[in-house]
Amino acid sequence: MNKKRKPLELYVHIPFCIRKCAYCDFVSGPGTKAMQKEYEEALLAEIDAAEETAEREVISVFFGGGTPSAVDAGMLARVMEKLRSKYVFSEDAEITLEANPGTLDAEKLKCYRKSGFNRISIGCQSVHDEELKRLGRIHTFAEFQESFVLARDAGFANINVDLMSGLPEQSEEKWEESLRTIAELSPEHISAYSLIVEEGTPFARMAERGELQLPEEDTERAMYEETREILAKYGFHRYEISNYARDGYECLHNVGYWIRRDYLGFGIGAASLVDNVRFQNGRDLITYLENPQDCREEEQVLTEQEQMEETMFLGLRLIRGISYEQFEKQYGRSLPEVYGPVITQNIADGLLREYTEESGERFLALTEKGLDVSNYVMAQFLF
């Protein structure tokens, strides 16, 4: 009898984009065709050298960036082919491509579908052109609409759209308009993030000079409340702090991060978690191109205490929360035994709740009030 293979998720980092956005702190930037070809060869060599294949079954793949749709579609096809030759894929593996409007066309989308991509995540961010311009985006809303229609026509039945609130000079009304306009297009999934001004970005430098007019805290709070209420009316349920889906379309890959499923990252800056060891590839492109087979750094073997901490502060991001049974099965100790006082206090404060599913499984989850101050609650689970 075949032993059941352990599920594995794969992440592939494509660092190239047309132009870096003003808020972006990812490992990304423009690159020549020659550099992209060199990077493809390095990626294939890194995948070839990976040893984490035995007894594994790939249940999801995510191509992120940068802008994977900005490079030649044939490159992504060849990387997918290499992954399939190396790993056993589950029949219904979720295979996602991140894409930006202005970089998609019918031919590319046809090629993606042929390569096995069955989910596409399109970065819209806003339906207002003046907001897109402030963000440094290369596209207009009309171009996003065109890309969305092309993706549907190519056969993508699972589309995510990214939206961003708390933008410079953004009003509550403008945010509501973005939400409703996108919801009415009926994607299967919407990721609704708040803008975070990251160090080292053009936005951070503008903020230092007092040139970044961000919405007031009360306005941001109203936007946050509206997101849940408006999307619920369109049939999207919130299953994670920033993510909303129609039933059955929750992103398998992202849920894997929150429940600490093993994942392996390829490409510069890509992170991995395998058998409770976290490691990351170096962020320097030249170094990676020179030696992709030996690009891992920052390896950390997690202690059981660190594993439990991660289980709590990652798992609480999910609206469903953390299973008492799963925790005990994994660590041989009950949740109350390890975190009793913290749980009791936060339940008393109205920030956590306990509930039982129809199956009889018990869960610990953030309340609506707790979701508003999630970082505060999660920090309490660090020893």
Side-chain angles (χ1 to χ4, degrees):
M1 192 173 95
N2 280 346
K3 187 182 166 191
K4 195 173 181 336
R5 290 178 177 272
K6 197 175 177 187
L8 179 69
E9 302 193 328
L10 302 177
Y11 173 80
V12 180
H13 190 71
I14 306 293
F16 306 108
C17 54
I18 307 295
R19 185 178 74 210
K20 206 169 171 75
C21 298
Y23 56 87
C24 177
D25 75 329
F26 292 133
V27 185
S28 62
T32 62
K33 289 281 183 202
M35 189 178 274
Q36 289 177 18
K37 186 65 193 163
E38 208 179 331
Y39 187 77
E40 177 191 330
E41 285 163 10
L43 257 183
L44 298 176
E46 186 194 355
I47 293 165
D48 253 340
E51 293 170 3
E52 295 86 358
T53 56
E55 302 302 321
R56 300 279 179 172
E57 180 175 56
V58 171
I59 62 166
S60 76
V61 185
F62 196 102
F63 278 63
T67 305
S69 56
V71 303
D72 174 46
M75 170 183 173
L76 306 186
R78 289 184 289 274
V79 174
M80 270 304 301
E81 199 179 321
K82 173 64 74 177
L83 290 172
R84 285 190 184 278
S85 71
K86 178 91 178 180
Y87 293 93
V88 172
F89 275 59
S90 68
E91 275 181 38
D92 57 351
E94 175 193 273
I95 303 172
T96 303
L97 174 81
E98 270 188 347
N100 272 340
T103 63
L104 291 170
D105 58 47
E107 266 321 294
K108 273 185 177 179
L109 285 156
K110 200 167 140 189
C111 181
Y112 301 150
R113 292 289 295 125
K114 199 175 168 188
S115 306
F117 288 95
N118 51 29
R119 184 176 185 273
I120 192 164
S121 178
I122 309 176
C124 177
Q125 314 313 348
S126 170
V127 305
H128 303 287
D129 287 349
E130 71 276 11
E131 289 181 347
L132 293 172
K133 201 171 176 183
R134 282 186 212 113
L135 285 172
R137 302 292 287 175
I138 61 159
H139 64 89
T140 62
F141 178 58
E143 285 172 312
F144 162 79
Q145 289 173 298
E146 186 188 351
S147 296
F148 188 91
V149 171
L150 284 171
R152 278 283 189 246
D153 290 348
F156 278 98
N158 191 353
I159 300 180
N160 169 62
V161 178
D162 283 343
L163 284 175
M164 205 179 271
S165 64
L167 305 182
E169 299 175 49
Q170 187 180 46
S171 66
E172 228 179 292
E173 293 71 29
K174 294 267 186 183
W175 172 239
E176 184 176 329
E177 204 177 320
S178 279
L179 282 174
R180 290 188 186 281
T181 305
I182 295 304
E184 280 164 19
L185 285 173
S186 287
E188 284 64 40
H189 190 287
I190 294 175
S191 295
Y193 302 103
S194 292
L195 172 70
I196 296 171
V197 178
E198 303 282 4
E199 274 182 44
T201 61
F203 269 8
R205 291 189 284 277
M206 285 171 72
E208 279 168 24
R209 297 193 299 265
E211 296 169 5
L212 200 65
Q213 289 176 269
L214 297 174
E216 296 290 325
E217 204 174 307
D218 288 351
T219 306
E220 277 217 56
R221 163 74 47 210
M223 288 177 182
Y224 172 83
E225 295 294 339
E226 276 170 11
T227 305
R228 187 180 70 250
E229 289 163 18
I230 290 169
L231 293 184
K233 285 174 186 164
Y234 286 92
F236 293 90
H237 70 273
R238 186 188 196 184
Y239 70 94
E240 190 271 337
I241 287 175
S242 303
N243 287 286
Y244 299 78
R246 299 193 182 280
D247 286 344
Y249 288 97
E250 299 83 359
C251 178
L252 178 72
H253 188 86
N254 283 343
V255 168
Y257 291 147
W258 311 135
I259 64 171
R260 299 185 71 253
R261 193 182 283 133
D262 280 2
Y263 61 93
L264 189 57
F266 296 106
I268 59 167
S272 303
L273 170 68
V274 178
D275 295 330
N276 288 309
V277 179
R278 286 198 177 275
F279 49 91
Q280 188 154 350
N281 287 354
R283 293 167 70 95
D284 182 72
L285 181 60
I286 305 305
T287 307
Y288 176 77
L289 294 177
E290 284 170 356
N291 193 3
Q293 294 96 329
D294 185 26
C295 58
R296 294 179 183 178
E297 49 187 51
E298 299 178 42
E299 190 170 291
Q300 179 192 9
V301 180
L302 299 172
T303 63
E304 189 174 76
Q305 182 176 306
E306 288 166 333
Q307 292 169 43
M308 286 193 282
E309 287 179 351
E310 286 191 357
T311 295
M312 300 310 291
F313 71 73
L314 291 174
L316 284 172
R317 287 189 65 94
L318 293 169
I319 305 306
R320 190 184 188 204
I322 292 155
S323 161
Y324 277 84
E325 284 79 1
Q326 287 297 319
F327 187 93
E328 190 160 350
K329 187 179 169 187
Q330 193 172 351
Y331 298 113
R333 295 164 73 191
S334 72
L335 250 177
E337 190 184 334
V338 182
Y339 287 112
V342 179
I343 293 170
T344 303
Q345 185 60 57
N346 279 279
I347 287 174
D349 292 341
L351 303 176
L352 285 175
R353 66 189 179 100
E354 294 174 311
Y355 71 96
T356 305
E357 287 194 342
E358 279 180 27
S359 62
E361 198 171 352
R362 285 175 68 234
F363 284 82
L364 179 73
L366 289 166
T367 60
E368 285 300 335
K369 186 179 164 188
L371 284 163
D372 290 351
V373 289
S374 56
N375 288 341
Y376 163 76
V377 181
M378 291 167 189
Q380 294 176 62
F381 287 93
L382 303 177
F383 289 101

